[in-house]
C-alpha cells in the first residue's frame, strides 16, 4: 500500500449544450511519484451510493499525454495534445467507446507536486457529446511535527 502523502484536488467541468453545464469537485488524499520520466497521480474514488466501495484512479502523465485509468473498470481515457483517440469508458451500467480529442494540455508538475490543466471533447458515433475542462492540483501534505 502506498503512503497517501499528497492532497489531490480535481475540478471537472462539462458543457453539453450552451446552457447545460456541470461541475464536479473532488478533494482527497493520494500518492504522487515519478518513474523514468513518467509521473503518476493515484487516488481513490468512492461510490456515490455506497461510500464503503472505492476504486483507485491513476493519472499517468507523460510529455503531451495523460492516460486516465480506473482500477476495476474498463475505463481508459487517453488525452494526447492535438490527437483524437477512441477510448473505453465504463458508465457503471456498461461500457462504451468514445472519441476523445485534446485541444489543450498544460502540465506544470515538478518533484513536489504542481498542476495539470486539460481541455478536451468527447464524442459518441462522431457526434459531439461534451466539451470538458479538467484541473488537477497535487499538493504535498504537511510533514508531521513530531
Amino acid at each position: 500500500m502506498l503512503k497517501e502523502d499528497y492532497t489531490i484536488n480535481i475540478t471537472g467541468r462539462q458543457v453539453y449544450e450552451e446552457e447545460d453545464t456541470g461541475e464536479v469537485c473532488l478533494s482527497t488524499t493520494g500518492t504522487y511519484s515519478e518513474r523514468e520520466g513518467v509521473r503518476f497521480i493515484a487516488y481513490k474514488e468512492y461510490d456515490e451510493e455506497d461510500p464503503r466501495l472505492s476504486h483507485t484512479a491513476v493519472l499517468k502523465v507523460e510529455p503531451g499525454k495523460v492516460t486516465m485509468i480506473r482500477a476495476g473498470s474498463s475505463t481508459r481515457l487517453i488525452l494526447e495534445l492535438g490527437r483524437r483517440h477512441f477510448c473505453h469508458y465504463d458508465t457503471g451500467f456498461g461500457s462504451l467507446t468514445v472519441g476523445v480529442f485534446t485541444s489543450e494540455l498544460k502540465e506544470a508538475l515538478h518533484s513536489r507536486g504542481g498542476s495539470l490543466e486539460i481541455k478536451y471533447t468527447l464524442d459518441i458515433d462522431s457526434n459531439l457529446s461534451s466539451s470538458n475542462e479538467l484541473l488537477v492540483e497535487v499538493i504535498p501534505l504537511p510533514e508531521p511535527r513530531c
Side-chain angles (χ1 to χ4, degrees), residues 76-107:
R76 182 181 200 92
L77 296 180
I78 301 170
L79 302 157
E80 186 173 7
L81 185 60
R83 296 221 29 220
R84 182 172 179 249
H85 288 273
F86 289 103
C87 302
H88 291 284
Y89 186 79
D90 188 349
T91 65
F93 300 101
S95 184
L96 48 99
T97 301
V98 295
V100 181
F101 177 78
T102 305
S103 60
E104 197 172 305
L105 196 156
K106 294 180 184 175
E107 182 257 322

Side-chain angles (χ1 to χ4, degrees), residues 118-135:
I118 307 169
K119 291 184 180 178
Y120 63 98
T121 59
L122 295 177
D123 65 79
I124 300 170
D125 293 331
S126 298
N127 294 311
L128 182 64
S129 173
S130 64
S131 296
N132 305 273
E133 294 178 14
L134 185 66
L135 172 62

